[in-house]
Amino acid sequence: MKPFLPLLLLLLLYSLLTSCALASKCPKDCSCSSPDSIICFARLGKTVPSKVPTSTKNLYVFQNGIEALKQDDFIGLENLEMLDLSQNKLTELPDRVFEPLSSLRNLDLSNNRITHISQESFAGLELLERLYLHSNTIKSIHPAAFDGLEQLLELKLQGNGLTTMPTLKMPHLLLLDLRFNKIPLPSPDGLRTPKLESLKLGGLGLRTLDDTLLSGFKNLHELDISNNQLNAFPPVLQEARGLVILSLAGNPMSPLNWKDFENFKELQELDISNLSLQNLPENMTQLFPHLKKLTVAENPFNCLCSLAWFPGWLRNQQIVLGRKEETRCHFPPRNAGKVLERLGHRDFGCPTRTVIPVSTVKTTTLAPSLITTLHITTHGVQPVKPSEAFNAETDSYAQPPIPATPSSSPDLDMRRNGCPSNICLNGGTCRLNYQNHFECTCPQWTSGRYCENEEDLALFENVSTPKILWVGEINAQMVTSSSILLDLYRYIEMRPYIRGVKLTYSNLSGLDKRPKQLNIPASYPEYTLRGLLPNSTYFICASPLGEPSDVDSVCIEAQTSDQQVFSGRVEEPQLTTMLVPAVAILLLLVLVAVAVGVACFMRRKKTHLELYCDPSQLELDGVKVGLDNGALPTKQPEVSSSTAAMQNGCLDYEAPLIANNMSSLKPS
């Protein structure tokens, strides 16, 4: 062990000397984590830092408040390969300002205030490979501004005010992003980029696509034509059979003709958001055998049985659903607003699938019929047990068995199903009765003519389902009474230039409404606000880190719960707490009914006349107070079949649906 001590001391001494040397050469208010990289983040200074070592290869000077550049700022930095000047306050680029940077390969000038690109703004950058100019206010570019950039691989110009585009003569360009400008569709002569792989033309207001636009691109793999005015599927896309990523989102081209997609067998990512789609074809696997990511957000889906295959298909094919929180149902009302991916098979209202083997019809004993007021006649139909409702091997509907001979049991004479498609909801089974009228056999947790009323599950609906609030680019999910989970994925995805997110939140319900701030890195698409007050409304805003709160800010309101939200069943003590006052109120109503009935009976006996009770007798103190205080739930629009009418004397009223409305009662 002792021979290693001198070596260990020498290594420690070397590291200390190296760190001291780096610290002595590091510019003021900057960080020098390695000999060739300098990071100056949120540095207070209006100019580029001075005394940068000549050996520096990567210089990050973003969010510094730099207002102007001059050529002297970069003299001696011939070895610099990466220069990040994003998120500053630059308004212009002087001619030949970057000429000393002869080895520069990456230049990021995004999120500044540049308005014009001159002919010699990038003179001397013959080796430049990536040029990022997005999120500025550029309105004009000199026709020869990019002539010397023949080695350029990526050019990003999205989010500016361009009305015209210069001719691009870039033989090696792979990515061109022109989204959200005011330029017309580029002509094939204006894009002399034969090796282009990614072309992004979203948000340009295009109404058509030139038939010759894509003919010159033999290696095009990604195409974004989202948020335009295309009212039909562009026929020119049929020539782009090698596409791997395609975005058609936000165009008024609904309904889609899925035959137009038959040639896109290589597609791996597809975005068809905001196209007013109500359904999706069940043969998605045949259309897109290599699909890995699908985005169908902001569509008014009809979450009926015809779409029940979709959540399971995503899981089985291991396909990522983009913007899942914004992929919700629009119809029917019981599914409206629910996240499509989280629905179970029975939530789509599909009928129960029944299979009875033909070979065992004569020997199999069927389940007893449900209790009903109708007597089973020789034409009655015997319902099938739930355990026999579905066959995993065939995954299909079964036809009721037909007796082989008239000598078969007449009570088991089942006719072939002539019911309308999907008439029974929530997994109910349709059948024909002896009067040739269809009836629905409902599961135990549903009721109604069409099994439309959910009874027992409604007790837990408000507890097990978290409240989701979605507004624009951020959404909030209420998880407990003291925390809110924020989803910032879309906000960060639409702003790839930001280095972090500043969260500002304040309690609108409490006495202290002073805003609080948190800074989180851009690598955190989800963040949980903790230590909040229960039953309070919070106003939450997200903005780019380092900018004023009113710059590019997106805000929402979210409310914490007044009690703990559980992901599973309701705990027994809480259920008991709700049942005690409900049962007490029900007993009070029964006593009132008995008292009124007895009074009417005594009055009838005394006068020997046929008298009817006045409905105003319900205005007793006990009943009236209970109704005014909201202790009893209001009458439901559709009365459950399990609700019994109570006849007591001349008093006729329906029992309150306490069992079906426990979620509306608060614990005493």
Side-chain angles (χ1 to χ4, degrees):
M1 189 69 181
K2 293 182 179 180
F4 291 99
L5 289 177
L7 180 60
L8 182 61
L9 291 175
L10 288 176
L11 292 176
L12 181 59
L13 181 61
Y14 175 78
S15 61
L16 291 175
L17 292 176
T18 303
S19 60
C20 292
L22 288 176
S24 62
K25 295 181 180 180
C26 192
K28 184 180 179 181
D29 299 329
C30 296
S31 173
C32 301
S33 56
S34 63
D36 56 358
S37 296
I38 296 177
I39 300 177
C40 304
F41 168 68
R43 166 182 162 272
L44 299 179
K46 297 183 179 181
T47 60
V48 176
S50 58
K51 298 181 180 179
V52 177
T54 57
S55 61
T56 304
K57 292 184 177 180
N58 305 304
L59 179 59
Y60 302 89
V61 194
F62 55 90
Q63 197 176 327
N64 278 220
I66 299 175
E67 298 179 351
L69 299 176
K70 57 183 183 296
Q71 194 177 92
D72 295 342
D73 295 333
F74 307 110
I75 292 179
L77 300 180
E78 293 84 2
N79 296 319
L80 198 65
E81 297 179 359
M82 170 70 195
L83 177 59
D84 187 347
L85 292 170
S86 62
Q87 303 184 60
N88 283 291
K89 300 179 181 180
L90 299 174
T91 57
E92 62 178 354
L93 299 177
D95 292 346
R96 298 183 174 273
V97 66
F98 301 113
E99 192 170 28
L101 306 177
S102 56
S103 300
L104 195 66
R105 284 175 168 78
N106 304 282
L107 178 59
D108 190 348
L109 295 168
S110 62
N111 199 26
N112 277 279
R113 303 172 184 177
I114 303 170
T115 59
H116 173 70
I117 302 297
S118 67
Q119 181 178 359
E120 296 185 343
S121 292
F122 305 114
L125 300 180
E126 286 82 4
L127 300 180
L128 195 65
E129 296 178 350
R130 293 170 183 83
L131 177 58
Y132 297 163
L133 294 168
H134 56 272
S135 303
N136 278 279
T137 57
I138 302 173
K139 296 182 179 180
S140 60
I141 299 177
H142 191 275
F146 302 132
D147 283 355
L149 307 180
E150 295 185 357
Q151 301 300 321
L152 205 63
L153 301 177
E154 297 181 7
L155 177 60
K156 294 185 178 182
L157 292 167
Q158 71 268 27
N160 283 287
L162 293 172
T163 56
T164 58
M165 268 294 297
T167 300
L168 300 181
K169 304 173 185 178
M170 300 175 181
H172 302 288
L173 192 67
L174 301 178
L175 181 147
L176 177 60
D177 195 339
L178 301 175
R179 292 175 298 166
F180 301 104
N181 280 284
K182 301 177 182 178
I183 59 175
L185 182 67
S187 63
D189 293 337
L191 295 180
R192 301 177 186 177
T193 54
K195 294 185 179 181
L196 196 65
E197 295 182 355
S198 176
L199 178 60
K200 300 184 179 183
L201 304 174
L204 299 183
L206 304 178
R207 297 185 179 274
T208 58
L209 287 183
D210 191 347
D211 293 341
T212 61
L213 174 65
L214 305 181
S215 59
F217 305 133
K218 304 301 181 182
N219 299 320
L220 193 64
H221 299 319
E222 179 180 3
L223 180 62
D224 184 351
I225 52 174
S226 61
N227 299 297
N228 282 293
Q229 299 298 320
L230 302 172
N231 54 16
F233 188 87
V236 67
L237 293 185
Q238 299 294 343
E239 302 178 7
R241 300 186 179 183
L243 287 179
V244 177
I245 302 175
L246 175 62
S247 177
L248 302 171
N251 282 286
M253 59 174 59
S254 182
L256 290 177
N257 185 359
W258 294 102
K259 292 183 179 180
D260 295 330
F261 293 87
E262 292 180 351
N263 294 328
F264 294 92
K265 300 299 183 182
E266 303 300 323
L267 210 61
Q268 297 182 15
E269 295 186 16
L270 176 64
D271 189 347
I272 47 176
S273 302
N274 193 18
L275 294 183
S276 300
L277 301 177
Q278 297 181 358
N279 208 336
L280 294 171
E282 197 165 351
N283 62 336
M284 293 285 281
T285 301
Q286 288 74 26
L287 287 174
F288 314 110
H290 301 291
L291 196 64
K292 296 180 180 179
K293 181 178 180 180
L294 176 65
T295 306
V296 290
E298 299 181 81
N299 282 304
F301 285 115
N302 290 340
C303 295
L304 301 174
C305 191
S306 59
L307 198 58
W309 61 272
F310 185 68
W313 174 76
L314 292 174
R315 293 189 294 268
N316 294 335
Q317 300 296 325
Q318 296 182 350
I319 294 176
V320 177
L321 182 64
R323 297 167 59 187
K324 66 176 64 178
E325 294 293 340
E326 302 165 55
T327 308
R328 297 175 179 265
C329 300
H330 177 72
F331 183 85
R334 59 191 171 87
N335 286 336
K338 294 183 179 179
V339 177
L340 177 56
E341 189 186 35
R342 297 174 185 166
L343 293 183
H345 190 272
R346 70 180 181 183
D347 295 326
F348 293 88
C350 295
T352 303
R353 302 174 179 180
T354 308
V355 172
I356 302 178
V358 177
S359 60
T360 60
V361 169
K362 296 182 180 180
T363 59
T364 303
T365 303
L366 300 181
S369 60
L370 298 177
I371 299 176
T372 176
T373 57
L374 298 177
H375 295 286
I376 301 297
T377 65
T378 57
H379 299 285
V381 180
Q382 200 78 357
V384 182
K385 292 187 297 182
S387 60
E388 300 174 350
F390 176 70
N391 189 328
E393 296 181 358
T394 60
D395 191 25
S396 60
Y397 299 98
Q399 303 296 338
I402 300 176
T405 62
S407 61
S408 302
S409 176
D411 290 338
L412 300 178
D413 180 19
M414 294 186 178
R415 282 172 274 181
R416 291 195 174 274
N417 197 333
C419 298
S421 176
N422 303 338
I423 191 65
C424 298
L425 305 176
N426 295 318
T429 304
C430 181
R431 63 187 180 90
L432 294 177
N433 61 16
Y434 67 95
Q435 294 178 338
N436 264 348
H437 296 158
F438 62 83
E439 295 179 348
C440 292
T441 301
C442 302
Q444 294 182 355
W445 51 274
T446 64
S447 63
R449 181 176 181 182
Y450 307 106
C451 309
E452 70 273 14
N453 298 327
E454 297 183 4
E455 296 181 349
D456 296 337
L457 292 185
L459 183 65
F460 308 100
E461 183 176 0
N462 291 337
V463 178
S464 60
T465 304
K467 183 179 179 182
I468 303 294
L469 299 176
W470 172 77
V471 179
E473 299 167 6
I474 61 176
N475 62 71
Q477 179 178 4
M478 184 176 64
V479 289
T480 67
S481 59
S482 61
S483 64
I484 297 176
L485 176 63
L486 297 177
D487 187 349
L488 307 171
Y489 179 82
R490 189 182 180 195
Y491 184 86
I492 297 174
E493 185 182 45
M494 296 183 65
R495 297 162 180 81
Y497 56 84
I498 65 175
R499 299 301 189 272
V501 178
K502 178 173 66 176
L503 292 178
T504 305
Y505 64 99
S506 57
N507 186 357
L508 302 180
S509 306
L511 297 178
D512 185 6
K513 296 182 173 58
R514 292 176 298 178
K516 300 179 181 179
Q517 291 186 355
L518 288 174
N519 296 333
I520 62 175
S523 58
Y524 281 56
E526 290 185 352
Y527 187 82
T528 302
L529 294 177
R530 304 186 185 277
L532 307 180
L533 297 178
N535 197 23
S536 300
T537 300
Y538 283 85
F539 187 69
I540 308 169
C541 294
S543 59
L545 186 63
E547 294 290 336
S549 299
D550 57 346
V551 174
D552 197 11
S553 179
V554 177
C555 302
I556 63 167
E557 287 187 8
Q559 185 173 9
T560 55
S561 63
D562 57 349
Q563 58 182 353
Q564 185 71 24
V565 177
F566 294 88
S567 59
R569 61 183 179 85
V570 180
E571 296 295 335
E572 186 67 24
Q574 291 184 344
L575 185 60
T576 305
T577 306
M578 293 188 293
L579 283 175
V580 170
V583 172
I585 294 173
L586 180 60
L587 291 176
L588 177 62
L589 287 178
V590 173
L591 292 177
V592 172
V594 172
V596 174
V598 171
C600 292
F601 177 78
M602 296 300 296
R603 184 183 302 176
R604 187 184 300 114
K605 183 176 180 180
K606 181 178 181 180
T607 59
H608 302 284
L609 297 175
E610 187 72 13
L611 297 178
Y612 294 90
C613 293
D614 188 359
S616 63
Q617 293 183 26
L618 287 176
E619 304 266 337
L620 298 176
D621 290 341
V623 177
K624 183 66 176 178
V625 171
L627 294 174
D628 288 344
N629 292 339
L632 290 177
T634 57
K635 186 176 180 180
Q636 303 297 313
E638 295 179 354
V639 181
S640 173
S641 60
S642 63
T643 304
M646 299 181 63
Q647 303 288 340
N648 198 338
C650 61
L651 181 63
D652 186 3
Y653 66 96
E654 293 179 348
L657 302 177
I658 295 179
N660 294 338
N661 295 274
M662 281 299 174
S663 58
S664 63
L665 297 177
K666 295 183 178 181
S668 59

